[in-house]
Amino acid sequence: MLGWSERVSVHSGGQPDRPAIVVLSSGSRDVERDVLAGIEEEGVPYLLAPGDAELPATELARRAALRSPLHVGVGVGPGGEVCVQHAKLSDPLPELMSGAGAGSSVVRVRGHNAARIVVGVPLKPDD
């Protein structure tokens, strides 16, 4: 598995070279695709990097948020769970998490909401 600095270019401070939501994933491509589609539909850039398969989505999201110049990160856990986190929050918000086996539309909404946090518009409710 490639490390963070090997997947995206970073500056000496460890930040990506462009403002983007960071997505750390150890989940399936299908879940990744749905999360990224939600982010894209809101017009916010993202960087996808592999996550540690032994970490839960909440920890991946926390680490992603700390790496993101936008302070928003998404973690996709090995079981398909998704968590969106802002770097300034100590704990993830339940409404920004979904468990393993969540439907495609729910996971896509998590991507939308990660982007909506960045642009400052109200979050989308689950369908």
Side-chain angles (χ1 to χ4, degrees), residues 58-115:
T58 53
E59 180 60 18
L60 292 172
R62 186 188 71 77
R63 291 180 182 195
L66 292 172
R67 290 181 175 176
S68 169
L70 299 174
H71 306 290
V72 175
V74 179
V76 179
E81 59 280 355
V82 176
C83 180
V84 176
Q85 178 73 23
H86 191 283
K88 295 187 181 191
L89 293 175
S90 59
D91 294 316
L93 300 174
E95 58 270 21
L96 294 175
M97 296 171 37
S98 63
S104 173
S105 63
V106 171
V107 172
R108 192 180 203 115
V109 167
R110 296 300 172 268
H112 277 281
N113 286 339

Side-chain angles (χ1 to χ4, degrees), residues 25-72:
S25 176
S26 60
S28 75
R29 297 288 179 219
D30 290 339
V31 174
E32 286 176 4
R33 182 186 64 238
D34 290 331
V35 168
L36 299 178
I39 295 171
E40 285 178 358
E41 289 167 3
E42 297 291 338
V44 177
Y46 63 84
L47 295 171
L48 175 64
D52 184 334
E54 296 187 19
L55 295 176
T58 53
E59 180 60 18
L60 292 172
R62 186 188 71 77
R63 291 180 182 195
L66 292 172
R67 290 181 175 176
S68 169
L70 299 174
H71 306 290
V72 175

